[in-house]
Amino acid sequence: MSKHVFVLQGSSRADGNSVDLANAFIEGCKAGGHTVVMPPINGKDISGCLACDICRRNGGFCNIHDYMYELYREFQLCEVIAIVTPMYFFMLPAQIKAIIDRLYCFGPDYPKKEVILMCTSFSDEPNVFSPLLDYHDHLVNYLGWEEKGRILVQGLSHKGDIKMRPEYQQAYELGKSL
């Protein structure tokens, strides 16, 4: 069964390892017959949630009119959300975090989604992903989403390093297998 896949790619480097990993995943999705979109988010006007609760009083429409409205459409259409990003100070980059925070308007009964996390890191520290994984696990549980896979790759010190790692092929296979 074909699925609609929404890729949130958080790297600000157009030719970085996270982008390469996202592209491998996307190619796998296409090979599996899935529809996939990866809207650009870097440099776009995406404000953080203001916690004004207007969305909870007006049927779920956020009071902030910015690029997020483009992303809301994709969020509503998709069955799968793939977050593909480098680590920024042991967490998601601000662009991705702002997007996640702005999904508040869909609550309290959040739409059920499948989620995939793919993360890269320069660091080869053994527990480098621990803070992010703790956050991610709590988020997925709270939203009622279904975890469909995660690929975590550390020790990527140069552009293109990911292409020489087994996780690159794993990303392709994960996309294909959805």
Side-chain angles (χ1 to χ4, degrees):
M1 179 175 123
S2 178
K3 294 184 179 179
H4 186 98
V5 182
F6 178 26
V7 178
L8 284 174
Q9 192 287 117
S11 179
S12 57
R13 294 182 181 160
D15 59 350
N17 286 300
S18 294
V19 173
D20 289 343
L21 191 61
N23 288 335
F25 174 74
I26 289 167
E27 288 305 311
C29 287
K30 290 177 180 177
H34 306 293
T35 302
V36 61
V37 295
M38 185 173 70
I41 62 171
N42 290 307
K44 299 294 183 179
D45 180 25
I46 304 171
S47 296
C49 179
L50 300 175
C52 64
D53 266 353
I54 291 174
C55 62
R56 296 287 173 97
R57 295 189 301 270
N58 72 8
F61 295 98
C62 183
N63 196 43
I64 304 169
H65 296 279
D66 59 9
Y67 186 70
M68 193 65 195
Y69 267 83
E70 297 290 323
L71 304 181
Y72 284 143
R73 180 180 173 280
E74 293 303 331
F75 179 75
Q76 290 173 314
L77 292 173
C78 76
E79 288 100 6
V80 180
I81 298 172
I83 300 170
V84 189
T85 185
M87 291 280 291
Y88 278 49
F89 290 96
F90 306 97
M91 189 48 69
L92 297 170
Q95 310 92 297
I96 300 282
K97 182 64 169 80
I99 291 166
I100 291 170
D101 288 351
R102 293 279 297 282
L103 296 179
Y104 176 79
C105 67
F106 290 101
D109 299 316
Y110 292 95
K112 301 303 178 215
K113 304 290 180 185
E114 297 174 353
V115 65
I116 293 165
L117 176 65
M118 291 183 268
C119 192
T120 62
S121 176
F122 171 84
S123 173
D124 57 4
E125 177 185 322
N127 297 316
V128 68
F129 295 113
S130 295
L132 174 62
L133 293 177
D134 186 49
Y135 166 77
H136 177 75
D137 291 344
H138 282 86
L139 178 70
V140 168
N141 184 56
Y142 176 77
L143 296 174
W145 291 355
E146 180 182 354
E147 180 83 38
K148 295 304 279 189
R150 55 177 66 165
I151 297 174
L152 308 172
V153 193
Q154 59 191 81
L156 300 172
S157 55
H158 299 93
K159 291 179 184 179
D161 280 357
I162 187 67
K163 292 180 179 180
M164 303 302 160
R165 302 282 293 270
E167 292 91 345
Y168 184 76
Q169 183 65 31
Q170 290 169 7
Y172 175 88
E173 296 300 330
L174 180 57
K176 190 175 177 181
S177 71
L178 294 175

